[in-house]
Amino acid sequence: AERGEASGAAECSGHPAGRADAAPRTLLYVAAMSEARPRLERAIALLREHVGEGSMLSAAERLQDWLLGVAHPRALLELDYGGLVHLVDDERLRQDQSVAEVAAALTGLETGQDELAAAMYQRVTGRWKELQALQHAN
C-alpha cells in the first residue's frame, strides 16, 4: 500500500538528523494483518510465476512463514526504518516511496509490463543499497 491509503499508513516524525536536542525520529508503515497476508501471497505467486526461484522469492516465503507462525490474524503489521532514520534528513524520508514502488513492480509483473517491474525494482534496490552503505559507513 502507498503511504496514506486507508489500507496502510506511514508516519514520519522528528527533527533533522544531527541535532543534539532532536526528538526521536520515526518512519513506519502500518497495515492490518488481514490485508498484509493476501498481499504477500499475491507477491509470492507473482514471483514464482515470473521470476522463479531466487533470493526474492526465498525472502518472501520466509516472511510468510514468520507471519503465519507468530502474528495474530487481527494484529497490525508495522514496518519501521529503525536506526536508518538517523542517516537521512526528513525530506528524504518524506520522499521515500519504497512501498508504492514494490507495489508497482508487482503490478508490472502481473500485467506483463516487464520494463516497469524492472525499473521499480531497480529504484527500490538502488535506494536501499545506498542506505546500507551509509549504515555501514557510520
Side-chain angles (χ1 to χ4, degrees):
E2 249 184 279
R3 288 191 287 208
E5 284 185 8
S7 60
E11 175 182 315
C12 179
S13 66
H15 298 286
R19 285 191 33 196
D21 63 340
R25 298 177 77 232
T26 60
L27 177 62
L28 57 96
Y29 292 87
V30 177
M33 192 62 64
S34 61
E35 296 171 355
R37 284 183 176 156
R39 288 179 190 157
L40 184 55
E41 288 171 11
R42 172 183 169 248
I44 289 170
L46 289 168
L47 290 171
R48 271 194 194 118
E49 182 180 346
H50 298 280
V51 178
E53 296 295 323
S55 60
M56 284 188 293
L57 178 58
S58 178
E61 289 172 335
R62 283 192 312 272
L63 177 58
Q64 183 181 45
D65 290 344
W66 179 79
L67 287 179
L68 291 171
V70 300
H72 189 279
R74 291 188 306 224
L76 294 176
L77 181 62
E78 181 178 294
L79 169 66
D80 70 58
Y81 277 45
L84 292 176
V85 297
H86 302 291
L87 301 178
V88 296
D89 62 20
D90 287 348
E91 186 58 31
R92 185 161 178 192
L93 286 177
R94 283 187 201 95
Q95 290 176 356
D96 182 82
Q97 295 293 313
S98 295
V99 172
E101 291 163 353
V102 168
L106 291 170
T107 298
L109 288 177
E110 190 171 45
T111 60
Q113 298 177 66
D114 295 338
E115 288 180 19
L116 171 66
M120 291 296 105
Y121 174 75
Q122 288 173 355
R123 281 178 65 170
V124 171
T125 56
R127 179 181 315 106
W128 284 99
K129 284 179 184 176
E130 220 178 277
L131 284 171
Q132 286 176 328
L134 282 173
Q135 182 180 26
H136 293 298
N138 284 316

